[in-house]
Amino acid sequence: IDISRQQARTFIPTDFDLYDKIYALAGDVLSEIKRISGKKFDAAKVDLLMNEFYPGKNMDVPDPYYGAEPGYHEVYKMIDEACDAIIEKACPNLPKGREASEPDFQKKIIHK
């Protein structure tokens, strides 16, 4: 995955005005979002990412920084599964697996 054009920025309270859903990868990050957002905090718009794949478990995505490379692969898998769950919830009628990767399907999605 090429992430060379991605940029991070600091969370700001007006993000609650801009986004329908805000995900944190860990409980301490969710607490910081709440602290930073102050009166703008909307509990209905924020959740831990892994709750999309494991509802109500309040699991953190582990930080693989201090471990070996396989830890990064495991974290990637966790995030990928949670993202798939988000897509499934938002678009339950989308084709899955091989059918979704076919060029004709991709063209339909891009041109909608």
Side-chain angles (χ1 to χ4, degrees):
I1 295 175
D2 180 9
I3 62 169
S4 64
R5 300 188 78 181
Q6 292 183 4
Q7 294 181 346
R9 69 165 176 79
T10 304
F11 176 84
I12 55 176
T14 55
D15 285 342
F16 280 101
D17 298 327
L18 297 173
Y19 303 105
D20 295 328
K21 194 70 175 178
I22 298 168
Y23 291 103
L25 297 186
D28 61 330
V29 176
L30 196 141
S31 295
E32 279 296 296
I33 289 171
K34 187 173 184 177
R35 183 189 65 75
I36 292 167
S37 59
K39 293 179 183 176
K40 288 258 186 198
F41 184 76
D42 182 349
K45 286 189 170 188
V46 67
D47 201 359
L48 291 172
L49 178 67
M50 293 312 296
N51 278 341
E52 292 294 341
F53 195 65
Y54 300 103
K57 299 276 187 186
N58 295 325
M59 294 172 52
D60 289 352
V61 174
D63 184 353
Y65 187 75
Y66 295 103
E69 184 177 335
Y72 286 90
H73 298 278
E74 185 60 33
V75 166
Y76 174 83
K77 181 180 175 194
M78 292 174 72
I79 294 170
D80 189 50
E81 288 172 341
C83 290
D84 284 346
I86 293 166
I87 293 167
E88 172 64 28
K89 188 186 324 182
C91 308
N93 297 321
L94 284 179
K96 295 169 187 60
R98 175 187 238 160
E99 186 179 347
S101 66
E102 293 174 3
D104 289 340
F105 174 74
Q106 291 176 359
K107 287 179 192 172
K108 288 177 190 171
I109 294 297
I110 293 169
H111 294 292
K112 279 193 170 186

